[in-house]
Amino acid sequence: MKSRRKLWSIFGPVIVAAGLLILLFSLPLGWGRFSEQTEKQAAVSLSPKVFRGQKIKQQALQNGYVPFFGSSELSRFDVFNPAVLAAKYRRSYRPFLLGAAGSQSLTHYFIMQNLGSQLRGKKVVFIISPQWFTKLGQRPDAFGFYYSPLQTIDWIIHAKNNPADRYAAKRLLQMPSGRSSQTTAAALENIANGQSISRFQKTVLRAKETMLRNEDTLFSHFQTNKNLAKVQKSEKVLPAQYSTPQLQRLATKVGHQATSNNQLGIKNSFYTRRLSGNHMQALRDSQTNFDYRQSPEYSDFQLVLTQFSQWHVSVQFIIPPINQRWANYTGLSMPMIHQTDQKIKYQLQQQGFNHVLDLTDDGNEKYFMEDTIHLGWRGWLRADQAIDPFLTKQQPQPKYNIQNRFFTKKWQTSTHIE
Amino acid sequence: MINLQPYSNPIYFVWLAVTLLPLMVGLYFGKRFVVYQTIISGIFLLLIFGGSKWQQGLALIGYIIYQFIVVGGYAAYKKHANKTWVFVSMVSLSIMPLVIVKLTPAIEVGQQSLIGFLGISYLTFKSVQMIMEMRDGTIKKFAPIMFARFLLFFPTISSGPIDRYRRFQHDYVQVPTREHYLEMVAQAVHYIFLGFLYKFILGYFFGTVMLPQIAQVAISHRAAFFHTGISLALIEYMYTYSMYLFFDFAGYSLFAVAASYLMGIETPMNFDHPFKARNIKDFWNRWHMTLSFWFRDFIFMRLTFFIMKHHLIKKRTRIPQAAYLVNFLIMGFWHGVTWYYIVYGLFHAGAIIINDYWLAYKKKNPQLPHNRWTEGLAIFITFNVVCFSFLIFSGFLNTLWFQAR
């Protein structure tokens, strides 16, 4: 009898704790709303946790935030970053920055998956870098870094038997992260083969979805990030009133001061940290063989376009240039860059995506680029001149005409348009 | 085929609970289900070393066969002869696979040896200990099955704690009384939950949330202070890494001890509030205890006796100093053949020698104050010396000085 009491006193609390934990994660709990401050922090956090999640993005997008998809350029919080400009000049929109080093089309495609009802009929900005279009496309490790089981499950549950979804399933299965869970991998195999997922898979996935969603909601309350402070610091440098000539002068001035230690127009800190000393010698003519014209990324990008079309999203695309002096130094082929640009634009325009700000030829503009391939002071201002009217003025309902030929190997490898 | 790394995720604990339950019921009623325990041990070994880690699994099997030949061979020899050179060669043979595994990445940069597997060093400690105790005559009989159980005891296979054969054998054969077993189970549950706090909350916070951010800042300041990289961020890194190291490893050790307790085996504890240590010697009695005790018993003590017996060093106070130096140097090499592990070893040897001088000085001068303030100061100094040694140990200085671009 005594032993039995002892047993209860040992395992009773464990059983209660386990029960509570199961309840916590399996009940569809709402967990309240996030404060405005949390929204603000999340919008500029660029944290994988935010990218992988759902709840905070949903709430922010309902409250006037607009997704800005991109990659490493978003993480430069200098004075003219779109997040800084929008906050300073009290625009009717606030950018929700989605993307950091290594995030490409495939990551963005999955980020969108549980934001359907927030994106339908809305506007977004999409910064598409030629550097994504490498021979092997999305790097599996970078994809894994942003991989979200929740988004993947949401996607699987709604997947249909069509070329886009079959392609996406195949792509995921090529990534180690897509195979990290057995249930997910099995369901993906089904979708890739054009079969529907089994009822058992669906039940397991639904249970997991609830659990992951609760986890996301719970932990999204904890935003620890220093980027918001950077944004607020940068705001102080800007003039009180928006005036293009004044901002141009400021951009020139700040850019001039910040690129004083090298001949390439690269920000001093970037130059010292990444390029100084022997690195520079090693980089001379190091990019002569770079080629962005053939890449699986073209089809990954097509996934994103298909999704935009399904939800009638209006998209402002921005194609950033490459710092011309840097390209010359590293021997990057400009004809190749132009052909890449043509190919991307062709894919966009053939399907009715007509808001494209192509900056490819601006790589030689002074203080346009902050370093090698990232938009900087005047570059962001130029982008803002397209972004601001696009987001603040009424746009006609887009008419898209999605073509599945962009999912083919033939398109990925073609160097001749038409 | 699935692969599960020990104690790395919630599923592992579910597996553990489900499979151990029948064994626990048996122990509660005073019986050890040996066959069942053997089967689940096999399953766990398969989960740890199967699937994507199958090469490691093969290496483990090869290693076990090899150690059986070495240890069993020595046991057979020991029955009728006792030559020192045989003993020394057997110990060397037993250590050889570990030496190869540790040397491979140093010789062929970054290459991992094919004969390596998770936990090889811990199995080596166990095997070498067998040979040494046979030499001493404290282990008389070589029982192959018990030796296999001892080596392959799955709760501790990956990173210890390092048990002793005779203790293990006793616990295995002698089932604890119900009262005692319930105490152990209660302790185990407590350890598991403490381990969750340590490894998955604190260790995660320091290691996964904080450390990469701090590392980035520290690297960006690598030109600071006359290109030594000494910056505030580096100091932050030092403390954060130390916290991570402790909570991660102590958390793991708690899990390993808890799982052993549930199986009725009282695997020794690995940590005893190490940051409360009042000097370096005290620290090594509290930090990674099964390792430091192993080194104490099988290297330090033996070396000290050897030096004294052969009068290698005249001055008495020099003997422990030499022994410390060798002891910690070997420990450094054991961690890996890189400059920072070796410097870490030497640093601790130096610290403990200085500490010995201080203790001798204190003994001679009894008028020196001793109160809770001086004790607090001692703890503070020890803590900082230890954290600094962990900064060396972390290898971050290597990244900072020689690798970061």
Side-chain angles (χ1 to χ4, degrees):
Chain A
M1 217 52 214
K2 219 179 118 228
S3 311
R4 201 180 257 178
R5 272 203 26 215
K6 177 92 182 155
L7 270 180
W8 274 115
S9 76
I10 296 170
F11 290 110
V14 179
I15 294 165
V16 172
L20 284 175
L21 191 72
I22 290 168
L23 279 184
L24 179 76
F25 281 124
S26 58
L27 292 181
L29 302 166
W31 290 110
R33 293 181 60 77
F34 304 102
S35 69
E36 208 174 305
Q37 184 68 12
T38 313
E39 265 180 25
K40 260 191 196 171
Q41 278 184 320
V44 295
S45 70
L46 304 174
S47 99
K49 188 174 86 182
V50 171
F51 299 168
R52 288 187 210 116
Q54 172 184 28
K55 192 78 192 241
I56 193 145
K57 279 179 289 182
Q58 280 185 330
Q59 187 187 311
L61 298 194
Q62 279 158 4
N63 293 345
Y65 281 85
V66 172
F68 278 50
F69 294 99
S71 43
S72 45
E73 69 280 330
L74 295 177
S75 63
R76 277 130 177 106
F77 285 104
D78 291 288
V79 187
F80 300 94
N81 184 295
V84 181
L85 291 174
K88 176 76 180 184
Y89 299 113
R90 313 216 162 272
R91 302 263 170 85
S92 57
Y93 66 89
R94 288 279 182 283
F96 198 107
L97 304 182
L98 292 169
S103 67
Q104 298 179 193
S105 306
L106 205 56
T107 297
H108 292 315
Y109 176 67
F110 283 99
I111 286 182
M112 281 189 251
Q113 288 314 314
N114 49 27
L115 300 173
S117 39
Q118 284 73 36
L119 287 176
R120 209 174 287 276
K122 295 282 181 55
K123 295 174 188 169
V124 307
V125 175
F126 201 106
I127 304 169
I128 177 143
S129 305
Q131 291 79 23
W132 295 359
F133 295 82
T134 54
K135 192 166 170 232
L136 298 175
Q138 175 71 57
R139 274 176 42 199
D141 56 340
F143 181 75
F145 187 65
Y146 301 113
Y147 173 77
S148 159
L150 174 60
Q151 287 157 3
T152 307
I153 290 173
D154 285 331
W155 178 82
I156 291 174
I157 288 173
H158 298 111
K160 302 208 168 49
N161 185 12
N162 60 32
D165 288 358
R166 285 197 301 268
Y167 173 83
K170 276 185 201 135
R171 248 343 234 144
L172 257 185
L173 286 168
Q174 288 166 3
M175 304 287 166
S177 33
R179 291 193 174 273
S180 56
S181 143
Q182 288 188 312
T183 337
T184 311
L188 286 173
E189 298 272 8
N190 282 2
I191 297 168
N193 295 329
Q195 297 153 351
S196 54
I197 61 171
S198 73
R199 183 171 291 181
F200 172 73
Q201 284 170 343
K202 206 164 195 163
T203 317
V204 174
L205 290 175
R206 284 247 186 245
K208 265 192 162 176
E209 189 191 26
T210 315
M211 204 180 91
L212 290 165
R213 195 167 280 158
N214 279 325
E215 184 187 321
D216 168 50
T217 323
L218 183 62
F219 287 104
S220 291
H221 282 276
F222 309 104
Q223 295 288 336
T224 51
N225 202 281
K226 291 173 187 157
N227 288 346
L228 185 60
K230 288 189 201 162
V231 170
Q232 285 162 345
K233 203 175 139 203
S234 290
E235 275 182 57
K236 296 203 180 97
V237 184
L238 289 171
Q241 295 301 319
Y242 189 94
S243 127
T244 310
Q246 210 182 338
L247 283 168
Q248 284 288 0
R249 276 200 300 279
L250 181 68
T252 306
K253 195 180 122 204
V254 177
H256 179 71
Q257 284 165 354
T259 56
S260 55
N261 74 357
N262 63 87
Q263 298 298 313
L264 296 171
I266 286 172
K267 197 179 174 190
N268 293 340
S269 52
F270 185 92
Y271 188 82
T272 333
R273 200 168 65 237
R274 304 267 292 267
L275 303 173
S276 59
N278 304 332
H279 299 307
M280 226 24 216
Q281 261 318 312
L283 284 163
R284 182 186 287 276
D285 291 329
S286 61
Q287 303 190 347
T288 43
N289 293 326
F290 279 27
D291 194 340
Y292 302 135
R293 291 169 300 181
Q294 297 181 317
S295 170
E297 187 70 23
Y298 286 98
S299 297
D300 291 352
F301 184 49
Q302 182 63 20
L303 276 179
V304 171
L305 299 183
T306 310
Q307 193 64 78
F308 284 144
S309 153
Q310 269 172 20
W311 291 338
H312 311 288
V313 183
S314 303
V315 194
Q316 172 69 57
F317 287 96
I318 298 171
I319 306 177
I322 292 157
N323 179 336
Q324 187 65 53
R325 280 175 275 175
W326 171 252
N328 295 344
Y329 186 82
T330 55
L332 188 73
S333 154
M334 284 321 279
M336 181 278 293
I337 288 294
H338 278 110
Q339 283 167 23
T340 304
D341 179 47
Q342 290 305 317
K343 190 171 170 179
I344 296 171
K345 276 204 297 195
Y346 175 83
Q347 190 172 343
L348 287 171
Q349 279 153 2
Q350 282 288 304
Q351 306 182 87
F353 292 90
N354 295 324
H355 293 282
V356 183
L357 177 66
D358 182 6
L359 302 173
T360 305
D361 290 326
D362 293 326
N364 222 356
E365 290 278 320
K366 280 208 144 182
Y367 317 122
F368 204 82
M369 304 303 283
E370 186 177 295
D371 41 59
T372 53
I373 54 170
H374 302 110
L375 283 174
W377 311 277
R378 291 188 52 227
W380 279 127
L381 270 188
R382 177 70 192 84
D384 188 57
Q385 281 157 12
I387 294 169
D388 181 29
F390 173 76
L391 292 178
T392 50
K393 295 207 173 76
Q394 181 95 31
Q395 301 297 334
Q397 170 85 6
K399 284 198 183 59
Y400 298 130
N401 161 35
I402 286 298
Q403 298 164 25
N404 288 329
R405 65 181 168 118
F406 294 114
F407 284 120
T408 59
K409 191 96 196 161
K410 195 169 159 234
W411 172 250
Q412 293 173 18
T413 54
S414 104
T415 46
H416 297 285
I417 297 163
E418 298 320 306
Chain B
M1 177 73 202
I2 19 174
N3 182 279
L4 272 181
Q5 287 311 292
Y7 315 108
S8 59
N9 62 31
I11 296 296
Y12 189 87
F13 290 90
V14 175
W15 278 82
L16 204 60
V18 171
T19 45
L20 289 189
L21 198 63
L23 196 69
M24 289 165 66
V25 173
L27 288 167
Y28 180 78
F29 289 106
K31 281 238 163 30
R32 183 181 291 283
F33 300 145
V34 173
V35 176
Y36 180 77
Q37 181 165 342
T38 311
I39 292 169
I40 61 164
S41 298
I43 293 174
F44 269 94
L45 292 175
L46 211 60
L47 284 173
I48 298 171
F49 295 105
S52 56
K53 300 268 156 76
W54 63 271
Q55 284 112 328
Q56 289 198 21
L58 288 185
L60 174 69
I61 294 169
Y63 179 88
I64 295 292
I65 295 171
Y66 177 83
Q67 291 297 358
F68 259 71
I69 296 170
V70 174
V71 177
Y74 185 67
Y77 165 82
K78 186 70 178 37
K79 276 188 197 143
H80 49 80
N82 189 17
K83 287 259 191 318
T84 305
W85 70 268
V86 177
F87 165 69
V88 172
S89 356
M90 284 312 193
V91 169
S92 311
L93 280 177
S94 181
I95 296 172
M96 204 166 63
L98 181 65
V99 173
I100 294 170
V101 168
K102 292 286 177 184
L103 279 178
T104 307
I107 295 166
E108 288 172 66
V109 178
Q111 270 291 326
Q112 290 306 314
S113 169
L114 283 176
I115 61 162
F117 56 88
L118 179 73
I120 182 170
S121 30
Y122 293 92
L123 295 201
T124 306
F125 286 127
K126 289 180 171 178
S127 306
V128 171
Q129 174 216 130
M130 290 288 288
I131 298 175
M132 292 208 175
E133 291 207 34
M134 281 176 186
R135 163 85 168 176
D136 297 349
T138 45
I139 295 176
K140 296 205 169 57
K141 212 173 97 217
F142 177 66
I145 293 180
M146 192 53 85
F147 180 53
R149 283 178 188 141
F150 173 59
L151 275 190
L152 293 171
F153 187 57
F154 79 87
T156 62
I157 196 158
S158 63
S159 315
I162 308 156
D163 205 352
R164 301 293 169 90
Y165 178 75
R166 279 178 293 152
R167 217 209 51 69
F168 177 86
Q169 186 189 27
H170 170 268
D171 284 3
Y172 197 98
V173 176
Q174 188 78 55
V175 175
T177 63
R178 177 175 291 183
E179 201 184 347
H180 184 54
Y181 182 61
L182 282 175
E183 298 276 314
M184 285 163 72
V185 172
Q187 199 65 263
V189 169
H190 175 68
Y191 285 166
I192 287 175
F193 279 82
L194 194 63
F196 285 152
L197 174 70
Y198 276 20
K199 191 172 164 69
F200 297 131
I201 297 179
L202 296 170
Y204 175 83
F205 175 73
F206 288 116
T208 310
V209 180
M210 301 269 293
L211 211 54
Q213 293 182 23
I214 298 173
Q216 214 184 3
V217 181
I219 285 175
S220 74
H221 286 100
R222 75 182 198 285
F225 205 72
F226 311 107
H227 287 269
T228 54
I230 297 170
S231 63
L232 209 62
L234 187 66
I235 294 167
E236 258 181 86
Y237 187 93
M238 175 174 101
Y239 291 116
T240 313
Y241 178 80
S242 303
M243 290 302 117
Y244 157 71
L245 189 66
F246 170 69
F247 285 116
D248 187 72
F249 195 22
Y252 158 83
S253 300
L254 284 168
F255 295 145
V257 170
S260 313
Y261 279 16
L262 295 179
M263 296 171 74
I265 304 283
E266 286 187 84
T267 294
M269 283 296 275
N270 236 357
F271 292 91
D272 175 23
H273 307 100
F275 296 136
K276 272 196 208 156
R278 275 169 294 176
N279 59 48
I280 290 292
K281 212 179 257 177
D282 189 19
F283 172 77
W284 281 107
N285 287 331
R286 294 161 171 276
W287 176 272
H288 203 174
M289 289 146 71
T290 58
L291 177 78
S292 64
F293 295 165
W294 192 96
F295 268 84
R296 179 194 67 195
D297 295 349
F298 296 108
I299 295 183
F300 180 81
M301 301 290 260
R302 272 155 214 267
L303 191 62
T304 312
F305 284 137
F306 185 80
I307 295 171
M308 292 198 335
K309 201 172 140 200
H310 294 84
H311 305 288
L312 296 178
I313 294 171
K314 297 272 139 46
K315 211 171 157 198
R316 272 194 76 86
T317 50
R318 290 274 177 266
I319 297 171
Q321 292 177 0
Y324 279 132
L325 216 54
V326 174
N327 186 70
F328 280 102
L329 201 59
I330 293 175
M331 197 191 274
F333 273 102
W334 167 70
H335 278 300
V337 187
T338 62
W339 70 264
Y340 45 89
Y341 289 138
I342 295 160
V343 171
Y344 167 79
L346 290 175
F347 180 85
H348 270 284
I352 218 163
I353 289 168
I354 293 169
N355 181 51
D356 264 3
Y357 274 116
W358 164 251
L359 290 181
Y361 175 79
K362 217 177 133 189
K363 213 171 183 179
K364 268 191 214 149
N365 298 279
Q367 78 281 11
L368 281 170
H370 184 103
N371 52 45
R372 72 180 138 131
W373 298 108
T374 61
E375 263 183 24
L377 182 69
I379 291 172
F380 178 78
I381 293 171
T382 309
F383 174 71
N384 283 285
V385 168
V386 164
C387 287
F388 182 71
S389 78
F390 289 157
L391 176 66
I392 302 172
F393 179 82
S394 73
F396 186 66
L397 294 175
N398 192 50
T399 317
L400 189 69
W401 291 341
F402 308 121
Q403 286 177 343
R405 285 203 305 125

